[in-house]
Amino acid sequence: MTAQPVVVGSLKTNFGHMEGAAGVGGIIKTVLQLREKTIFPHLNFVTPSPPASPGRTPP
C-alpha cells in the first residue's frame, strides 16, 4: 500500500473573510480542483513547517 498525501487548503488567502459563504466556497474550490486534477496554489505559501513536511510522519 502506497501512502497518499493529504492536501489541506483554505480560501481565506484567496478570497478574504467569507463568513457565511465559507462552506460553499470551500466546496466550489474542492470541486474545481477535482475537475482540473490539480491543487490550486496557496497565496503566500513558501515552505511547510518541518512537522508537516512531505515524507515525514509523526512519531
Short mmCIF file of all heavy atoms in Angstrom, two decimals:
data_model
loop_
_atom_site.label_atom_id
_atom_site.label_comp_id
_atom_site.label_asym_id
_atom_site.label_seq_id
_atom_site.Cartn_x
_atom_site.Cartn_y
_atom_site.Cartn_z
N MET A 1 0.85 -1.18 0.00
CA MET A 1 0.00 0.00 0.00
C MET A 1 0.89 1.24 0.00
O MET A 1 1.77 1.40 0.83
CB MET A 1 -0.89 -0.03 1.23
CG MET A 1 -1.84 1.09 1.30
SD MET A 1 -2.98 0.80 2.68
CE MET A 1 -3.86 2.27 2.64
N THR A 2 0.65 2.14 -0.92
CA THR A 2 1.42 3.37 -1.04
C THR A 2 0.72 4.49 -0.29
O THR A 2 -0.48 4.67 -0.43
CB THR A 2 1.57 3.76 -2.52
OG1 THR A 2 2.11 2.67 -3.23
CG2 THR A 2 2.46 4.97 -2.67
N ALA A 3 1.48 5.24 0.49
CA ALA A 3 0.91 6.37 1.23
C ALA A 3 0.54 7.48 0.27
O ALA A 3 1.28 7.80 -0.65
CB ALA A 3 1.90 6.88 2.26
N GLN A 4 -0.63 8.05 0.46
CA GLN A 4 -1.10 9.17 -0.35
C GLN A 4 -1.09 10.43 0.51
O GLN A 4 -1.51 10.38 1.66
CB GLN A 4 -2.51 8.90 -0.86
CG GLN A 4 -2.62 7.71 -1.79
CD GLN A 4 -1.93 7.96 -3.11
OE1 GLN A 4 -1.98 9.05 -3.66
NE2 GLN A 4 -1.25 6.95 -3.61
N PRO A 5 -0.65 11.56 -0.04
CA PRO A 5 -0.64 12.78 0.76
C PRO A 5 -2.05 13.29 1.03
O PRO A 5 -2.97 13.06 0.25
CB PRO A 5 0.12 13.77 -0.12
CG PRO A 5 -0.10 13.27 -1.50
CD PRO A 5 -0.18 11.77 -1.39
N VAL A 6 -2.22 13.93 2.15
CA VAL A 6 -3.49 14.60 2.48
C VAL A 6 -3.27 16.08 2.21
O VAL A 6 -2.38 16.70 2.77
CB VAL A 6 -3.86 14.38 3.97
CG1 VAL A 6 -5.11 15.18 4.32
CG2 VAL A 6 -4.06 12.91 4.25
N VAL A 7 -4.07 16.62 1.32
CA VAL A 7 -3.91 18.01 0.93
C VAL A 7 -4.91 18.86 1.70
O VAL A 7 -6.10 18.56 1.74
CB VAL A 7 -4.14 18.16 -0.59
CG1 VAL A 7 -3.99 19.61 -1.00
CG2 VAL A 7 -3.16 17.29 -1.35
N VAL A 8 -4.41 19.91 2.31
CA VAL A 8 -5.25 20.82 3.07
C VAL A 8 -5.11 22.22 2.47
O VAL A 8 -4.01 22.66 2.19
CB VAL A 8 -4.83 20.85 4.56
CG1 VAL A 8 -5.69 21.83 5.34
CG2 VAL A 8 -4.89 19.46 5.15
N GLY A 9 -6.21 22.87 2.24
CA GLY A 9 -6.15 24.21 1.67
C GLY A 9 -7.14 25.13 2.36
O GLY A 9 -7.89 24.72 3.24
N SER A 10 -7.12 26.38 1.97
CA SER A 10 -8.07 27.33 2.54
C SER A 10 -8.44 28.35 1.48
O SER A 10 -7.76 28.52 0.49
CB SER A 10 -7.47 28.03 3.75
OG SER A 10 -6.55 29.01 3.34
N LEU A 11 -9.53 29.03 1.71
CA LEU A 11 -9.98 30.09 0.80
C LEU A 11 -9.60 31.47 1.29
O LEU A 11 -9.57 32.41 0.52
CB LEU A 11 -11.50 30.04 0.66
CG LEU A 11 -12.05 28.97 -0.26
CD1 LEU A 11 -13.57 28.98 -0.19
CD2 LEU A 11 -11.59 29.18 -1.66
N LYS A 12 -9.33 31.61 2.57
CA LYS A 12 -9.12 32.93 3.16
C LYS A 12 -8.05 33.73 2.42
O LYS A 12 -8.23 34.91 2.14
CB LYS A 12 -8.76 32.81 4.63
CG LYS A 12 -8.62 34.14 5.32
CD LYS A 12 -8.34 33.96 6.78
CE LYS A 12 -8.09 35.29 7.43
NZ LYS A 12 -7.60 35.15 8.78
N THR A 13 -6.93 33.08 2.08
CA THR A 13 -5.87 33.83 1.42
C THR A 13 -6.22 34.19 -0.02
O THR A 13 -5.65 35.12 -0.57
CB THR A 13 -4.55 33.03 1.41
OG1 THR A 13 -4.76 31.80 0.73
CG2 THR A 13 -4.07 32.77 2.81
N ASN A 14 -7.15 33.46 -0.62
CA ASN A 14 -7.54 33.75 -1.99
C ASN A 14 -8.71 34.73 -2.09
O ASN A 14 -8.77 35.53 -3.01
CB ASN A 14 -7.92 32.46 -2.72
CG ASN A 14 -6.78 31.47 -2.76
OD1 ASN A 14 -6.74 30.56 -1.96
ND2 ASN A 14 -5.84 31.66 -3.66
N PHE A 15 -9.64 34.66 -1.15
CA PHE A 15 -10.85 35.45 -1.24
C PHE A 15 -11.12 36.36 -0.05
O PHE A 15 -12.08 37.11 -0.05
CB PHE A 15 -12.08 34.53 -1.41
CG PHE A 15 -12.06 33.77 -2.69
CD1 PHE A 15 -11.73 32.43 -2.69
CD2 PHE A 15 -12.35 34.39 -3.89
CE1 PHE A 15 -11.71 31.71 -3.87
CE2 PHE A 15 -12.33 33.67 -5.08
CZ PHE A 15 -12.01 32.33 -5.06
N GLY A 16 -10.35 36.24 1.00
CA GLY A 16 -10.59 37.04 2.19
C GLY A 16 -11.62 36.39 3.10
O GLY A 16 -11.97 35.24 2.93
N HIS A 17 -12.11 37.13 4.06
CA HIS A 17 -13.09 36.61 5.01
C HIS A 17 -14.45 36.47 4.32
O HIS A 17 -15.03 37.45 3.87
CB HIS A 17 -13.22 37.54 6.22
CG HIS A 17 -11.96 37.62 7.02
ND1 HIS A 17 -11.61 36.66 7.93
CD2 HIS A 17 -10.95 38.52 7.02
CE1 HIS A 17 -10.45 36.96 8.47
NE2 HIS A 17 -10.02 38.09 7.94
N MET A 18 -14.92 35.23 4.24
CA MET A 18 -16.18 34.98 3.54
C MET A 18 -17.35 34.75 4.49
O MET A 18 -18.49 34.73 4.09
CB MET A 18 -16.02 33.78 2.61
CG MET A 18 -15.04 34.05 1.50
SD MET A 18 -14.77 32.64 0.44
CE MET A 18 -16.38 32.30 -0.17
N GLU A 19 -17.06 34.50 5.75
CA GLU A 19 -18.04 34.25 6.79
C GLU A 19 -19.10 33.25 6.35
O GLU A 19 -18.83 32.08 6.24
CB GLU A 19 -18.63 35.56 7.29
CG GLU A 19 -17.56 36.42 7.94
CD GLU A 19 -18.10 37.72 8.50
OE1 GLU A 19 -19.31 37.82 8.71
OE2 GLU A 19 -17.28 38.61 8.74
N GLY A 20 -20.31 33.68 6.10
CA GLY A 20 -21.41 32.76 5.81
C GLY A 20 -21.23 31.93 4.55
O GLY A 20 -21.77 30.84 4.44
N ALA A 21 -20.46 32.42 3.61
CA ALA A 21 -20.28 31.70 2.35
C ALA A 21 -19.05 30.81 2.35
O ALA A 21 -18.73 30.19 1.34
CB ALA A 21 -20.18 32.70 1.20
N ALA A 22 -18.35 30.71 3.47
CA ALA A 22 -17.10 29.95 3.51
C ALA A 22 -17.31 28.48 3.15
O ALA A 22 -16.50 27.90 2.43
CB ALA A 22 -16.46 30.06 4.89
N GLY A 23 -18.37 27.86 3.65
CA GLY A 23 -18.62 26.46 3.35
C GLY A 23 -18.85 26.23 1.87
O GLY A 23 -18.30 25.31 1.26
N VAL A 24 -19.66 27.08 1.26
CA VAL A 24 -19.95 26.96 -0.16
C VAL A 24 -18.68 27.20 -0.98
O VAL A 24 -18.39 26.49 -1.94
CB VAL A 24 -21.07 27.94 -0.58
CG1 VAL A 24 -21.28 27.92 -2.09
CG2 VAL A 24 -22.35 27.60 0.14
N GLY A 25 -17.91 28.20 -0.58
CA GLY A 25 -16.66 28.49 -1.28
C GLY A 25 -15.70 27.32 -1.22
O GLY A 25 -15.02 26.99 -2.20
N GLY A 26 -15.62 26.66 -0.06
CA GLY A 26 -14.75 25.50 0.09
C GLY A 26 -15.17 24.35 -0.81
O GLY A 26 -14.34 23.68 -1.41
N ILE A 27 -16.48 24.13 -0.91
CA ILE A 27 -16.98 23.07 -1.79
C ILE A 27 -16.67 23.40 -3.24
O ILE A 27 -16.22 22.54 -4.00
CB ILE A 27 -18.50 22.87 -1.58
CG1 ILE A 27 -18.74 22.26 -0.20
CG2 ILE A 27 -19.09 21.99 -2.68
CD1 ILE A 27 -20.18 22.23 0.23
N ILE A 28 -16.90 24.64 -3.63
CA ILE A 28 -16.61 25.05 -5.01
C ILE A 28 -15.13 24.87 -5.33
O ILE A 28 -14.78 24.33 -6.38
CB ILE A 28 -17.05 26.51 -5.26
CG1 ILE A 28 -18.59 26.59 -5.22
CG2 ILE A 28 -16.51 27.04 -6.58
CD1 ILE A 28 -19.13 27.99 -5.21
N LYS A 29 -14.25 25.29 -4.42
CA LYS A 29 -12.82 25.15 -4.66
C LYS A 29 -12.44 23.67 -4.78
O LYS A 29 -11.67 23.29 -5.66
CB LYS A 29 -12.02 25.81 -3.53
CG LYS A 29 -10.52 25.75 -3.75
CD LYS A 29 -9.76 26.51 -2.68
CE LYS A 29 -8.27 26.43 -2.92
NZ LYS A 29 -7.50 27.14 -1.89
N THR A 30 -13.01 22.82 -3.93
CA THR A 30 -12.71 21.39 -3.98
C THR A 30 -13.17 20.78 -5.30
O THR A 30 -12.44 20.03 -5.94
CB THR A 30 -13.39 20.67 -2.80
OG1 THR A 30 -12.89 21.21 -1.58
CG2 THR A 30 -13.13 19.18 -2.84
N VAL A 31 -14.38 21.11 -5.73
CA VAL A 31 -14.91 20.58 -6.99
C VAL A 31 -14.05 21.03 -8.17
O VAL A 31 -13.72 20.23 -9.05
CB VAL A 31 -16.39 21.00 -7.18
CG1 VAL A 31 -16.87 20.70 -8.59
CG2 VAL A 31 -17.26 20.30 -6.16
N LEU A 32 -13.65 22.29 -8.18
CA LEU A 32 -12.81 22.79 -9.27
C LEU A 32 -11.44 22.09 -9.29
O LEU A 32 -10.94 21.76 -10.36
CB LEU A 32 -12.62 24.30 -9.15
CG LEU A 32 -13.86 25.15 -9.44
CD1 LEU A 32 -13.59 26.61 -9.11
CD2 LEU A 32 -14.30 24.98 -10.87
N GLN A 33 -10.87 21.85 -8.12
CA GLN A 33 -9.58 21.16 -8.06
C GLN A 33 -9.72 19.72 -8.55
O GLN A 33 -8.85 19.22 -9.26
CB GLN A 33 -9.01 21.18 -6.64
CG GLN A 33 -8.56 22.56 -6.23
CD GLN A 33 -7.99 22.60 -4.84
OE1 GLN A 33 -6.86 22.99 -4.68
NE2 GLN A 33 -8.74 22.21 -3.83
N LEU A 34 -10.80 19.05 -8.18
CA LEU A 34 -11.03 17.69 -8.66
C LEU A 34 -11.24 17.68 -10.17
O LEU A 34 -10.69 16.82 -10.87
CB LEU A 34 -12.24 17.08 -7.96
CG LEU A 34 -12.05 16.75 -6.48
CD1 LEU A 34 -13.39 16.37 -5.85
CD2 LEU A 34 -11.03 15.64 -6.30
N ARG A 35 -12.00 18.63 -10.67
CA ARG A 35 -12.26 18.70 -12.11
C ARG A 35 -10.98 18.95 -12.89
O ARG A 35 -10.73 18.33 -13.93
CB ARG A 35 -13.27 19.80 -12.41
CG ARG A 35 -13.66 19.84 -13.89
CD ARG A 35 -14.59 20.96 -14.20
NE ARG A 35 -13.81 22.20 -14.22
CZ ARG A 35 -14.32 23.39 -14.44
NH1 ARG A 35 -15.61 23.54 -14.59
NH2 ARG A 35 -13.55 24.45 -14.45
N GLU A 36 -10.14 19.85 -12.40
CA GLU A 36 -8.90 20.21 -13.09
C GLU A 36 -7.75 19.25 -12.78
O GLU A 36 -6.68 19.35 -13.37
CB GLU A 36 -8.48 21.63 -12.72
CG GLU A 36 -9.50 22.69 -13.11
CD GLU A 36 -9.75 22.73 -14.61
OE1 GLU A 36 -8.77 22.62 -15.38
OE2 GLU A 36 -10.92 22.86 -15.02
N LYS A 37 -7.96 18.34 -11.82
CA LYS A 37 -6.93 17.38 -11.39
C LYS A 37 -5.63 18.08 -10.99
O LYS A 37 -4.54 17.71 -11.40
CB LYS A 37 -6.67 16.34 -12.48
CG LYS A 37 -7.88 15.50 -12.78
CD LYS A 37 -7.61 14.50 -13.86
CE LYS A 37 -8.91 13.74 -14.12
NZ LYS A 37 -8.82 12.95 -15.32
N THR A 38 -5.78 19.13 -10.20
CA THR A 38 -4.64 19.89 -9.71
C THR A 38 -4.96 20.47 -8.34
O THR A 38 -6.09 20.45 -7.90
CB THR A 38 -4.28 21.03 -10.70
OG1 THR A 38 -3.06 21.61 -10.31
CG2 THR A 38 -5.35 22.11 -10.74
N ILE A 39 -3.94 20.97 -7.69
CA ILE A 39 -4.12 21.65 -6.42
C ILE A 39 -3.78 23.11 -6.65
O ILE A 39 -2.67 23.44 -7.07
CB ILE A 39 -3.22 21.04 -5.34
CG1 ILE A 39 -3.58 19.58 -5.27
CG2 ILE A 39 -3.34 21.81 -4.04
CD1 ILE A 39 -3.25 18.80 -4.11
N PHE A 40 -4.73 23.97 -6.41
CA PHE A 40 -4.52 25.38 -6.64
C PHE A 40 -3.48 25.93 -5.66
O PHE A 40 -3.42 25.50 -4.51
CB PHE A 40 -5.82 26.17 -6.50
CG PHE A 40 -6.89 25.76 -7.48
CD1 PHE A 40 -8.22 25.89 -7.16
CD2 PHE A 40 -6.56 25.24 -8.72
CE1 PHE A 40 -9.21 25.52 -8.05
CE2 PHE A 40 -7.54 24.86 -9.62
CZ PHE A 40 -8.87 25.00 -9.28
N PRO A 41 -2.66 26.88 -6.10
CA PRO A 41 -1.65 27.45 -5.21
C PRO A 41 -2.26 28.17 -4.02
O PRO A 41 -3.37 28.69 -4.09
CB PRO A 41 -0.88 28.43 -6.09
CG PRO A 41 -1.67 28.59 -7.33
CD PRO A 41 -2.67 27.48 -7.41
N HIS A 42 -1.54 28.17 -2.95
CA HIS A 42 -1.97 28.83 -1.72
C HIS A 42 -1.17 30.12 -1.61
O HIS A 42 0.06 30.10 -1.51
CB HIS A 42 -1.68 27.92 -0.52
CG HIS A 42 -2.39 28.30 0.72
ND1 HIS A 42 -2.28 29.52 1.30
CD2 HIS A 42 -3.24 27.60 1.50
CE1 HIS A 42 -3.01 29.57 2.39
NE2 HIS A 42 -3.61 28.42 2.54
N LEU A 43 -1.84 31.23 -1.64
CA LEU A 43 -1.20 32.54 -1.60
C LEU A 43 -0.28 32.67 -0.39
O LEU A 43 -0.64 32.28 0.71
CB LEU A 43 -2.28 33.63 -1.56
CG LEU A 43 -1.81 35.07 -1.69
CD1 LEU A 43 -1.18 35.30 -3.05
CD2 LEU A 43 -2.98 36.01 -1.49
N ASN A 44 0.90 33.17 -0.58
CA ASN A 44 1.91 33.41 0.46
C ASN A 44 2.54 32.13 1.04
O ASN A 44 3.27 32.21 2.01
CB ASN A 44 1.35 34.25 1.61
CG ASN A 44 0.85 35.59 1.14
OD1 ASN A 44 1.44 36.20 0.27
ND2 ASN A 44 -0.25 36.05 1.70
N PHE A 45 2.25 30.97 0.47
CA PHE A 45 2.84 29.73 0.96
C PHE A 45 4.20 29.54 0.30
O PHE A 45 4.32 29.57 -0.91
CB PHE A 45 1.94 28.54 0.64
CG PHE A 45 2.52 27.23 1.08
CD1 PHE A 45 2.50 26.86 2.40
CD2 PHE A 45 3.11 26.38 0.16
CE1 PHE A 45 3.04 25.66 2.82
CE2 PHE A 45 3.64 25.18 0.55
CZ PHE A 45 3.61 24.81 1.89
N VAL A 46 5.24 29.35 1.13
CA VAL A 46 6.58 29.15 0.60
C VAL A 46 7.07 27.75 0.95
O VAL A 46 7.38 26.95 0.08
CB VAL A 46 7.55 30.23 1.12
CG1 VAL A 46 8.94 30.00 0.57
CG2 VAL A 46 7.06 31.61 0.76
N THR A 47 7.16 27.46 2.23
CA THR A 47 7.62 26.14 2.67
C THR A 47 6.76 25.66 3.84
O THR A 47 6.34 26.47 4.67
CB THR A 47 9.09 26.17 3.14
OG1 THR A 47 9.24 27.16 4.14
CG2 THR A 47 10.04 26.46 2.00
N PRO A 48 6.51 24.35 3.91
CA PRO A 48 5.74 23.84 5.05
C PRO A 48 6.59 23.84 6.31
O PRO A 48 7.82 23.84 6.24
CB PRO A 48 5.39 22.42 4.63
CG PRO A 48 6.45 22.04 3.66
CD PRO A 48 6.87 23.31 2.98
N SER A 49 5.94 23.84 7.45
CA SER A 49 6.68 23.72 8.70
C SER A 49 7.29 22.32 8.76
O SER A 49 6.74 21.38 8.19
CB SER A 49 5.77 23.98 9.90
OG SER A 49 4.79 22.98 9.97
N PRO A 50 8.42 22.14 9.44
CA PRO A 50 9.09 20.83 9.46
C PRO A 50 8.18 19.66 9.87
O PRO A 50 8.25 18.62 9.23
CB PRO A 50 10.23 21.03 10.45
CG PRO A 50 10.53 22.49 10.38
CD PRO A 50 9.20 23.16 10.15
N PRO A 51 7.30 19.79 10.86
CA PRO A 51 6.44 18.65 11.19
C PRO A 51 5.47 18.29 10.07
O PRO A 51 4.98 17.18 10.01
CB PRO A 51 5.68 19.10 12.43
CG PRO A 51 6.49 20.20 13.02
CD PRO A 51 7.15 20.87 11.84
N ALA A 52 5.17 19.22 9.17
CA ALA A 52 4.21 18.97 8.10
C ALA A 52 4.89 18.71 6.76
O ALA A 52 4.23 18.68 5.74
CB ALA A 52 3.26 20.14 7.99
N SER A 53 6.19 18.53 6.76
CA SER A 53 6.91 18.33 5.51
C SER A 53 6.52 17.01 4.86
O SER A 53 6.30 16.01 5.53
CB SER A 53 8.42 18.34 5.75
OG SER A 53 8.81 19.61 6.21
N PRO A 54 6.42 16.99 3.53
CA PRO A 54 6.09 15.75 2.82
C PRO A 54 7.11 14.65 3.13
O PRO A 54 8.30 14.91 3.26
CB PRO A 54 6.16 16.14 1.36
CG PRO A 54 6.03 17.62 1.33
CD PRO A 54 6.61 18.11 2.63
N GLY A 55 6.63 13.45 3.27
CA GLY A 55 7.51 12.33 3.53
C GLY A 55 7.81 12.10 5.00
O GLY A 55 8.41 11.09 5.37
N ARG A 56 7.40 13.01 5.84
CA ARG A 56 7.65 12.85 7.27
C ARG A 56 6.37 12.44 7.97
O ARG A 56 5.32 13.02 7.73
CB ARG A 56 8.15 14.16 7.85
CG ARG A 56 8.48 14.03 9.30
CD ARG A 56 8.97 15.32 9.87
NE ARG A 56 8.91 15.15 11.32
CZ ARG A 56 9.66 15.79 12.16
NH1 ARG A 56 10.51 16.67 11.72
NH2 ARG A 56 9.56 15.58 13.43
N THR A 57 6.45 11.44 8.81
CA THR A 57 5.28 11.00 9.55
C THR A 57 5.48 11.27 11.03
O THR A 57 6.60 11.25 11.52
CB THR A 57 5.03 9.48 9.35
OG1 THR A 57 6.21 8.78 9.74
CG2 THR A 57 4.71 9.18 7.91
N PRO A 58 4.40 11.56 11.73
CA PRO A 58 4.53 11.82 13.17
C PRO A 58 4.94 10.57 13.92
O PRO A 58 4.67 9.46 13.47
CB PRO A 58 3.15 12.29 13.59
CG PRO A 58 2.23 11.87 12.50
CD PRO A 58 3.05 11.70 11.26
N PRO A 59 5.59 10.74 15.08
CA PRO A 59 6.03 9.55 15.85
C PRO A 59 4.87 8.78 16.42
O PRO A 59 3.79 9.20 16.52
CB PRO A 59 6.89 10.14 16.97
CG PRO A 59 6.64 11.60 16.98
CD PRO A 59 5.99 11.96 15.69
#
